Amino acid sequence: MFLKLTAAAVLALSINAPAWAEAAPAPAAATPVPAGKLTGQVQPQAYRIDLTIDPRQERFSGKTEIDAVLKTASRTIDLHWRDMELRSVEVQAGGQVLKPAAQQVDDSGVGRLTFAEPLPAGPVTLRFVYDAPFQTAPAGLFRVKVGDDWYAWTQLQSIDGRGVFPSFDEPGFKTPFTVTLRTLPGQTAVSNAPQTGVKREGEMDVHTFAPTLPLPTYLVAAMAGPFAVVEGTVPPTPQRAKPLPLRIVSPRPNADKLAFALEGSKEIVRLLEAYFGDAFPYPKLDQITSPIMPGAMENAGADLYNDALLVMDEKATTGQKRSFGMVVSHELAHQWFGDLVTPAWWDDIWLNESFANWMGFRIGDEWRPALNIRAGAVQEGFDAMRTDALVAGRPIRQRIETNAQIDEAFDSITYGKGGHVVAMIAGYMGDDKFRDGVRRYMAAHRYGNATSTDFFKAMAEASGDARIVPAMQSFTDQQGVPLLTFARTGTGWQVSQSRYARLGSQAPATRWGIPLCLRTTGGTRQCQLMTEATTAISYGGKGALVPNVGGTGYYRFELPAAEWDKLIAAADRLPGGEAQALADSLDASFQAGRASPDQLVAAARQLARQKDSYATGTGIAALAGYAEAGFLDEAGKAGFQRLGNSLYGPRVQELGFDPRAGAYAGHDPEETQRRQQAVGFLVRKGGDAALRAKLTEATRAYLGGNKQALDPAWYGPGLAALIEEGGLAAARDLADRALASTDPVFRPAALNAVGGSGQPVIGRWILEQFQDSRLRTSERQGLIRGVIVSGGTRDLGWDWLKSNYEALANSGGGIFFASRLPGMVAGFCSVQRADEIASLLRPKLQGKTGALGLERSIERVRSCGVLKDARGTELSAALAKVK
């Protein structure tokens, strides 16, 4: 175990120190430890990394050499490593080989080398020999057993590279990396660059790779294991003269379901090359999967995904295919936007993620238009507004001053809001001009680093409109959701902008440059850039006013009551994005104390007739959220169930229901999604006994060995219904079946059903008794989360969390787990509970990753309680009237 010792302790324990450190000098007088960015006194030039990876063991070993330039003479060098056992450290400088004292000086992984005399400015080479633990969750170099075999992967974003090799672990340092991987004989090894050779040395195979093009540390990849591999090439394109080598690399149990990903990746690469007007930036592309990766990662030339994102065939569900198209397009867009051109520091990470999110939906939609992938971007943007509407928060572009803040920048504000803002600006500029701005930006900073200022400059030059820059900055540099309030005038409308706030909250005054596009249901689109607090719009088209054309505007709107009613009446005939915008703004109006419960019910009825699968469930989903939060009395609950049954019962009768595997393969994707929504509601909330019996019979047959009895689309409601009926015995049986499975769709679905049962007896078993060596770290955390967020076990989970928060936070959750952990408690709806959460958790998280997430959760819980107290009775009364 690596011990983080003070200088005095290092000297006092020198009897146990490695031989190289026995004569090491005492550290120099204390100098401040960098809390975030390093001082910049050392500029890395190149890395040589040699890792020995045997995933059967608990630790790996490595040798790292870093060529660098020391800008000024110094007795210390600060860089990064974390929780390593350093076997030797040498620094070659000025013709000498020196052995400095080496000490990790903070928990985030800042390390310090201290020399007896100042090093002269100039070239230096740093050499480290070390070993370190494999992680059991997706952070650093992690390992997982799949079937009978062990595998290892790296996941280094954001600052987990320092857990794998000593480094200058910042995005602003881009250098070549030469990687060597030592593996068990016969195993596949993957890194960013093409493999140049493999030879046997002793009991290990030694895989060598070509030097990479310049990369930051967080994009370095090293994977090893007995993988299944399918190979192909992406044919030449107008942007690329030669075929691009392409492989899909996955654990062996997935071997027969990799062809879909191979063919789909080829087409997405081609679409991206056409958009960027530029060849794929790296000499090969590997698409790798891991069962515990929570999403995906854009390692240059070696992307990493969760198994379920790539492992499928043409019979996969619409949801799986949508995820493939969006996520693969997102990650491969990063090969240009993020890898080829990289942010100079983490405060510009939105440049990576917001743009890639927009591209994911855009290119995914081009790949398979029938999947309606692009509509998911609108949904994600409106979901982000729920977070952005809180007073506690941050802008898209946030100043990052400490390492603890970095992971908190990877949230719905960066992805959902950022992607929506990019779509809004692209729509206002026009697709061609926006694309030209992107190409201009990429060409200017190829294989280097860039900032938001650079991006804005390129957009201004491409648009020819200087106003576009302050308009974009008003959204990237300010927190909050704009609210546009419309009032009738004699010749049109008066529109006022303010910052949206929920009932009981007060938001500060804020002004944006808003690309406002509106129409009427019988008129044409009209756009203008709204920069003033109030503006007059002359528009007299017939029909209901549609204040957010296409739903791409990142704002909410408020209408007079009569205008709301007209728009609600037209909700089933609006394009899907506009219907989503209506649903979001109406629900937000209710939460602010304005729209009536009757209007929510009317909107749910009209939206349920929508053909767009993203829009059709938005109205009933809002009401379901209030039911889950405890707003409704018994009469209100009964009315809500009657409403849902009246909307979804006829739909199932119209569309039919056959739970067998592949029964709807080849059907219209929108139809399949509408069927899933209807069946899910009727089985879980609607109490349709006949439908429930049909689904549970198919689920039992599937678990009994008939794999054709149940399509993966029905795993969620089918397994949940089975547990509802069978209780703890069914949950224990299902958990055992899940842990015996390597199926990348069934295993997580089964564990989610167990964790989210809402039954206290199952919750107590999970929290107090469930132990199994097959249960992975992230799966254990997911089960605990299920207990805490589910209504029936939420109080039980909170009582457990009060005594176990530190242990859970330190359980090795992997990428961004700590920053998202406080969100588990956001489902409560009580002012009193908000105060309790604040009292317990604020002291634990002060100055740490997760502090912002905690403040958001506290505000959500308090705000929900205020709204329930103010409007719960009238909402129940409105639903009780439903026939």
Side-chain angles (χ1 to χ4, degrees):
M1 183 176 67
F2 184 85
L3 300 177
K4 304 174 188 65
L5 303 176
T6 64
V10 170
L11 295 177
L13 296 179
S14 61
I15 188 171
N16 295 319
W20 63 267
E22 289 178 2
T31 56
V33 175
K37 190 179 291 189
L38 298 174
T39 62
Q41 70 162 347
V42 183
Q43 181 73 40
Q45 303 293 306
Y47 288 77
R48 291 173 293 282
I49 298 171
D50 188 328
L51 299 176
T52 299
I53 302 175
D54 180 355
R56 301 171 305 176
Q57 310 303 318
E58 293 186 353
R59 300 178 72 84
F60 65 94
S61 60
K63 300 177 181 178
T64 294
E65 292 187 352
I66 310 171
D67 295 333
V69 173
L70 184 63
K71 294 182 179 179
T72 58
S74 177
R75 280 194 62 198
T76 61
I77 290 177
D78 288 342
L79 68 160
H80 297 110
W81 70 80
R82 185 171 62 217
D83 299 340
M84 291 179 173
E85 185 71 33
L86 296 180
R87 299 298 182 183
S88 72
V89 179
E90 295 181 346
V91 175
Q92 183 172 330
Q96 301 182 68
V97 176
L98 306 172
K99 297 189 176 185
Q103 180 186 4
Q104 183 179 326
V105 290
D106 86 341
D107 289 340
S108 73
V110 179
R112 176 165 291 171
L113 306 180
T114 305
F115 301 85
E117 300 291 337
L119 288 183
V124 295
T125 297
L126 287 61
R127 300 189 182 99
F128 301 86
V129 179
Y130 57 93
D131 62 75
F134 282 108
Q135 302 302 306
T136 58
L141 182 53
F142 66 97
R143 67 178 188 138
V144 175
K145 191 175 187 182
V146 183
D148 296 326
D149 298 311
W150 285 93
Y151 300 80
W153 303 261
T154 48
Q155 165 51 48
L156 305 188
Q157 194 178 55
S158 58
I159 56 171
D160 286 322
R162 62 194 65 180
V164 181
F165 51 91
S167 57
F168 296 86
D169 194 17
E170 295 182 2
F173 296 126
K174 293 184 74 170
T175 75
F177 288 79
T178 302
V179 176
T180 300
L181 299 181
R182 301 171 187 268
T183 73
L184 295 173
Q187 293 198 341
T188 298
V190 181
S191 190
N192 306 91
Q195 183 169 292
T196 56
V198 57
K199 62 181 179 180
R200 182 69 55 83
E201 287 187 9
E203 297 181 352
M204 304 293 280
D205 280 356
V206 181
H207 304 259
T208 55
F209 298 86
T212 70
L213 292 160
L215 297 177
T217 48
Y218 79 87
L219 293 176
V220 173
M223 330 289 190
F227 290 107
V229 180
V230 297
E231 299 187 47
T233 60
V234 185
T237 64
Q239 296 79 31
R240 176 176 37 81
K242 296 181 180 180
L244 175 71
L246 170 66
R247 299 189 301 178
I248 310 297
V249 181
S250 188
R252 285 200 289 205
N254 303 328
D256 61 342
K257 287 191 175 182
L258 303 181
F260 181 95
L262 186 72
E263 295 307 313
S265 296
K266 291 179 185 179
E267 180 65 9
I268 290 171
V269 168
R270 185 190 69 78
L271 291 169
L272 287 164
E273 288 183 325
Y275 183 86
F276 287 111
D278 187 22
F280 189 81
Y282 302 100
K284 60 89 177 173
L285 173 60
D286 289 326
Q287 302 270 73
I288 308 114
T289 82
S290 166
I292 67 169
M293 186 68 185
M297 179 62 204
E298 66 270 18
N299 308 309
D303 282 5
L304 179 62
Y305 301 83
N306 178 271
D307 282 352
L309 290 168
L310 296 193
V311 180
M312 66 186 78
D313 56 26
E314 198 57 55
K315 293 182 180 179
T317 67
T318 296
Q320 254 195 298
K321 291 177 182 176
R322 281 177 170 176
S323 294
F324 175 89
M326 187 276 167
V327 178
V328 171
S329 297
H330 175 118
E331 301 306 329
L332 294 185
H334 271 314
Q335 301 293 301
W336 287 266
F337 212 103
D339 296 7
L340 180 63
V341 180
T342 305
W345 179 242
W346 297 110
D347 49 13
D348 281 321
I349 194 61
W350 77 272
L351 277 175
N352 273 20
E353 302 302 343
S354 300
F355 178 81
N357 226 46
W358 176 73
M359 284 290 283
F361 288 109
R362 185 192 192 284
I363 298 297
D365 201 69
E366 285 190 56
W367 169 66
R368 292 273 182 103
L371 292 171
N372 194 25
I373 290 173
R374 201 163 190 169
V378 179
Q379 180 188 64
E380 198 166 298
F382 289 131
D383 286 346
M385 287 185 189
R386 297 172 189 165
T387 298
D388 201 24
L390 301 171
V391 176
R394 65 175 190 85
I396 297 174
R397 186 174 189 267
Q398 174 193 16
R399 186 175 178 84
I400 301 293
E401 296 180 336
T402 69
N403 290 322
Q405 294 176 306
I406 294 170
D407 281 357
E408 291 185 327
F410 293 82
D411 63 2
S412 63
I413 300 302
T414 290
Y415 290 85
K417 178 180 181 178
H420 206 129
V421 169
V422 169
M424 179 173 64
I425 297 299
Y428 181 77
M429 287 177 59
D431 197 59
D432 289 346
K433 285 187 177 180
F434 184 80
R435 181 203 60 206
D436 292 346
V438 169
R439 291 179 176 181
R440 183 186 295 263
Y441 167 79
M442 300 299 296
H445 304 285
R446 192 175 182 83
Y447 294 112
N449 297 89
T451 67
S452 293
T453 300
D454 299 319
F455 182 72
F456 293 145
K457 179 176 180 289
M459 289 296 114
E461 291 171 348
S463 69
D465 184 351
R467 299 178 304 162
I468 204 69
V469 171
M472 290 180 70
Q473 290 175 318
S474 73
F475 282 91
T476 61
D477 295 357
Q478 296 184 122
Q479 179 191 346
V481 180
L483 175 67
L484 299 185
T485 301
F486 287 75
R488 269 286 189 186
T489 64
T491 58
W493 298 91
Q494 178 175 288
V495 187
S496 302
Q497 65 163 293
S498 60
R499 180 170 164 180
Y500 172 81
R502 291 179 59 163
L503 190 67
S505 299
Q506 186 170 358
T510 313
R511 188 182 297 180
W512 292 265
I514 303 171
L516 170 59
C517 293
L518 53 80
R519 68 180 184 92
T520 60
T521 50
T524 57
R525 177 175 183 259
Q526 176 178 311
C527 294
Q528 67 183 69
L529 188 63
M530 180 180 175
T531 58
E532 300 301 319
T534 301
T535 191
I537 297 178
S538 297
Y539 193 83
K542 296 181 179 180
L545 178 68
V546 182
N548 189 347
V549 174
T552 57
Y554 189 81
Y555 53 82
R556 287 170 165 165
F557 56 84
E558 186 66 63
L559 299 173
E563 296 296 331
W564 268 126
D565 292 341
K566 289 168 61 177
L567 186 57
I568 290 167
D572 58 329
R573 302 185 301 278
L574 296 174
E578 294 174 2
Q580 289 191 60
L582 158 63
D584 173 77
S585 287
L586 182 65
D587 188 40
S589 179
F590 175 79
Q591 293 180 27
R594 293 185 287 268
S596 72
D598 288 335
Q599 288 175 316
L600 293 188
V601 173
R605 291 188 186 279
Q606 290 300 110
L607 288 163
R609 300 186 178 100
Q610 263 280 334
K611 296 299 183 183
D612 186 292
S613 64
Y614 285 99
T616 185
T618 51
I620 199 74
L623 294 172
Y626 297 126
E628 174 71 15
F631 277 58
L632 306 182
D633 58 23
E634 291 306 313
K637 292 176 185 176
F640 172 66
Q641 186 179 76
R642 289 194 299 273
L643 175 64
N645 289 348
S646 71
L647 300 178
Y648 289 128
R651 181 178 297 176
V652 172
Q653 291 179 359
E654 173 195 350
L655 298 176
F657 174 58
D658 184 345
R660 290 176 299 173
Y664 299 110
H667 282 228
D668 174 55
E670 291 288 85
E671 173 196 298
T672 67
Q673 293 304 97
R674 293 196 299 273
R675 181 185 290 106
Q676 282 183 237
Q677 291 166 353
V679 171
F681 181 92
L682 293 172
V683 169
R684 298 299 306 276
K685 298 183 176 69
D688 188 319
L691 190 66
R692 184 188 186 92
K694 186 175 183 178
L695 181 57
T696 53
E697 180 183 358
T699 306
R700 288 192 181 95
Y702 174 85
L703 295 177
N706 180 3
K707 298 307 179 186
Q708 295 304 307
L710 189 70
D711 191 85
W714 312 114
Y715 285 170
L719 295 171
L722 211 61
I723 290 177
E724 285 177 19
E725 294 183 4
L728 179 59
R732 293 173 71 117
D733 176 69
L734 185 57
D736 183 67
R737 292 175 183 273
L739 298 183
S741 173
T742 59
D743 187 305
V745 179
F746 171 75
R747 179 169 173 143
L751 292 175
N752 285 343
V754 172
S757 74
Q759 297 184 37
V761 64
I762 297 175
R764 280 191 290 272
W765 170 68
I766 289 171
L767 296 175
E768 300 169 6
Q769 301 174 39
F770 185 27
Q771 300 291 332
D772 193 304
S773 61
R774 299 170 296 173
L775 190 64
R776 299 159 181 162
T777 298
S778 56
E779 292 172 337
R780 171 68 178 162
Q781 293 163 344
L783 287 167
I784 293 169
R785 181 185 184 280
V787 173
I788 296 171
V789 303
S790 299
T793 53
R794 189 173 289 133
D795 289 329
L796 173 71
W798 169 242
D799 288 340
W800 180 90
L801 191 66
K802 286 189 284 189
S803 302
N804 294 276
Y805 187 89
E806 287 90 346
L808 183 60
N810 295 319
S811 60
I815 184 171
F816 314 133
F817 178 73
S819 65
R820 295 171 184 177
L821 176 56
M824 289 186 185
V825 302
F828 287 105
C829 189
S830 160
V831 173
Q832 180 180 352
R833 184 53 57 85
D835 292 339
E836 184 183 355
I837 293 169
S839 177
L840 178 73
L841 296 184
R842 270 182 179 152
K844 299 180 187 298
L845 287 171
Q846 186 174 6
K848 297 181 179 179
T849 299
L852 175 58
L854 174 62
E855 294 307 314
R856 285 170 167 166
S857 291
I858 293 167
E859 186 178 343
R860 286 184 196 275
V861 174
R862 177 174 288 113
S863 178
C864 183
V866 169
L867 185 65
K868 180 169 65 174
D869 292 343
R871 309 209 70 181
T873 299
E874 61 175 320
L875 181 59
S876 287
L879 287 166
K881 295 185 298 183
V882 172
K883 302 301 184 184

